[in-house]
Amino acid sequence: MRDVPKTIIMEPKIKITRTTDSKLQHIDFENIPLGRTFTDHMFICEYENGAWQNPRIEPLALIPTHPAAMALHYGQAIFEGMKATVGEDKTPLLFRPEENAKRFNHSAARMGMPPVPPTLFVEAVKQIVGVEHHWIPPQDGSALYLRPFMYADEPFIGMRAATSYKFIVICSPAGPFFTKKIRLYAETEYIRAADGGTGEAKAAGNYAAAILPTEKAKAKGYDQVLWLDANEHKYVQEVGTMNIFFKVAGKFITPSTSGSILKGITRDSVITLLKDKGFEVEERPITIDEVIQFSKEGALEEAFGTGTAVAIAMIEAIGYKDELITLPEANPVSQGMKNTLDEIKVQKQEDIHGWIVPVAIEEKVG
Ligand SMILES: *Cc1c(COP(=O)(O)O)cnc(C)c1O
């Protein structure tokens, strides 16, 4: 993976054009349709002639797209997922945004796309949140979901890296995500990622490839696919858009990320928080057979997925071939971890690791 080029340290000047027709008053924050509601504005800038141009915040609108735009044909498209919350004093807050900037550029590098200077990425996210702060839902467990993304919009038929791209950030208010326990289907036919592939990138195509297997798992009565490794269908990788943790005889095990597993920022944070609480956390390859064995021995105590969207999703059961691994009803440590993470994000617990980044509110002018 090539290094992200050093960026010139300067405050990107982001021009703000406000809407005259806010939809804010039509939103019922108690009842937000998931992923369908968008705020009034978006951040947008274009990559042309080797540089990011004209960073601006403007009213959310359709983007004219040439039918030969390369992203539509060859799939150069990547994204991030982040959340803005509000603290006790109503200051908008971000969680580890530099980590998202870093991962975005890791994804970009793998897909042959230009990096976005981390200062531009973080400033774009901060300023759109500063403009849209009234859209951050106040309820516990709610947040303003942020979706930074980049795609190739050069009109060209032919296989090579595009020369023009768009980098955009849109925002969608989200109520408390499914707190229901999830059932996973350990997939032995389809794969998500192989070593050397794009599994470590948040690349759009990875999710396209997961749609059919996920639909099939849902038809069998499961919520999500538990992905196994591409070579042997043996090693546990991750779940949908979440990393996975098992609590086994008092300690935690999570698959090591080398190669084909997305390096979750929630995963990294949870490892730190578990260690803070005195738990041992092993990052190592773990097979589905081991999980079954632990379960049979009564050593499998808890299991959960981690990701920005849900924070922590408790796992109820895992189907694998003819077996059904069921987890114990109680998951005290996972629940405690979820509370800790949620409380750090709204400043109800001390942020000892310096993960929280406050955002300045962009006051309306004129
Ligand atoms: C985004 C994502 C995750 C979780 O990453 P976070 O940074 O914790 O949100 C895990 N796996 C996949 C495949 C993902 O796309």
Side-chain angles (χ1 to χ4, degrees):
M1 197 65 60
R2 90 182 124 95
D3 279 347
V4 176
K6 287 272 174 297
T7 50
I8 311 144
I9 304 299
M10 59 168 202
E11 286 283 288
K13 257 257 150 296
I14 297 174
K15 183 168 178 275
I16 300 176
T17 308
R18 290 186 181 265
T19 182
T20 52
D21 181 25
S22 174
K23 299 184 301 302
L24 187 62
Q25 70 271 24
H26 305 302
I27 303 303
D28 172 10
F29 280 109
E30 296 294 335
N31 193 358
I32 310 169
L34 196 63
R36 283 182 195 283
T37 307
F38 301 96
T39 62
D40 290 327
H41 302 88
M42 62 181 175
F43 169 90
I44 182 164
C45 64
E46 288 90 18
Y47 183 87
E48 264 152 34
N49 306 317
W52 289 102
Q53 320 269 358
N54 193 16
R56 60 205 186 272
I57 288 170
E58 53 185 38
L60 185 100
L62 301 185
I63 308 165
T65 304
H66 193 286
M70 290 176 80
L72 300 178
H73 302 265
Y74 311 112
Q76 272 185 305
I78 58 170
F79 66 94
E80 271 302 319
M82 319 168 59
K83 276 180 167 179
T85 46
V86 279
E88 300 275 76
D89 66 353
K90 299 282 176 275
T91 303
L93 305 171
L94 291 168
F95 186 74
R96 309 185 74 182
E98 298 86 3
E99 294 299 316
N100 294 93
K102 222 190 282 172
R103 188 171 63 194
F104 194 67
N105 283 328
H106 187 75
S107 300
R110 177 62 185 84
M111 305 309 285
M113 301 165 85
V116 170
T119 44
L120 175 61
F121 183 100
V122 173
E123 206 51 38
V125 167
K126 280 184 170 176
Q127 292 204 24
I128 189 81
V129 169
V131 167
E132 304 290 46
H133 68 100
H134 291 298
W135 288 84
I136 306 175
Q139 293 84 355
D140 273 355
S142 301
L144 185 62
Y145 184 82
L146 310 173
R147 170 54 61 85
F149 63 106
M150 191 211 306
Y151 65 94
D153 72 344
E154 181 191 357
F156 181 71
I157 301 281
M159 248 293 286
R160 60 155 169 78
T163 59
S164 61
Y165 297 86
K166 279 190 166 60
F167 167 50
I168 299 175
V169 186
I170 53 173
C171 318
S172 175
F177 249 88
F178 55 92
T179 39
K180 173 179 153 305
K181 286 191 182 183
I182 53 172
R183 296 169 65 83
L184 306 180
Y185 178 71
E187 178 58 66
T188 52
E189 182 186 352
Y190 301 105
I191 61 150
R192 191 191 89 91
D195 288 353
T198 59
E200 275 194 347
K202 249 177 142 66
N206 289 346
Y207 305 87
I211 287 172
L212 175 71
T214 306
E215 291 303 318
K216 288 190 166 184
K218 284 182 180 167
K220 292 189 183 93
Y222 295 92
D223 300 296
Q224 303 246 3
V225 172
L226 173 61
W227 296 107
L228 303 178
D229 75 285
N231 298 329
E232 299 175 77
H233 297 310
K234 200 170 116 181
Y235 293 95
V236 172
Q237 289 188 326
E238 58 183 310
V239 181
T241 56
M242 288 186 285
N243 296 108
I244 191 166
F245 286 74
F246 300 99
K247 180 165 179 271
V248 178
K251 69 181 177 193
F252 284 84
I253 306 173
T254 187
S256 32
T257 55
S258 50
S260 47
I261 296 178
L262 201 286
K263 289 193 172 112
I265 297 163
T266 317
R267 173 186 182 277
D268 181 73
S269 309
V270 164
I271 290 173
T272 301
L273 293 173
L274 285 170
K275 287 180 178 171
D276 285 351
K277 290 195 198 285
F279 286 101
E280 195 185 321
V281 184
E282 281 181 11
E283 292 180 66
R284 65 159 172 93
I286 175 168
T287 65
I288 188 75
D289 291 323
E290 272 182 278
V291 177
I292 292 168
Q293 192 55 34
F294 289 141
S295 171
K296 287 187 173 153
E297 290 164 2
L300 182 62
E301 294 159 354
E302 303 184 32
F304 58 85
T306 62
T308 295
V310 292
I312 288 179
M314 314 305 169
I315 297 166
E316 177 181 284
I318 302 173
Y320 171 67
K321 295 182 177 164
D322 298 331
E323 312 245 10
L324 187 71
I325 308 165
T326 50
L327 275 293
E329 190 87 13
N331 29 244
V333 181
S334 317
Q335 190 57 52
M337 193 49 39
K338 183 169 167 56
N339 296 347
T340 301
L341 207 49
D342 284 350
E343 288 181 9
I344 290 172
K345 288 183 184 176
V346 294
Q347 292 180 315
K348 284 184 182 161
Q349 274 198 34
E350 202 191 339
D351 170 32
I352 58 169
H353 299 288
W355 289 337
I356 296 297
V357 175
V359 171
I361 289 171
E362 297 286 329
E363 293 303 346
K364 267 194 191 101
V365 283

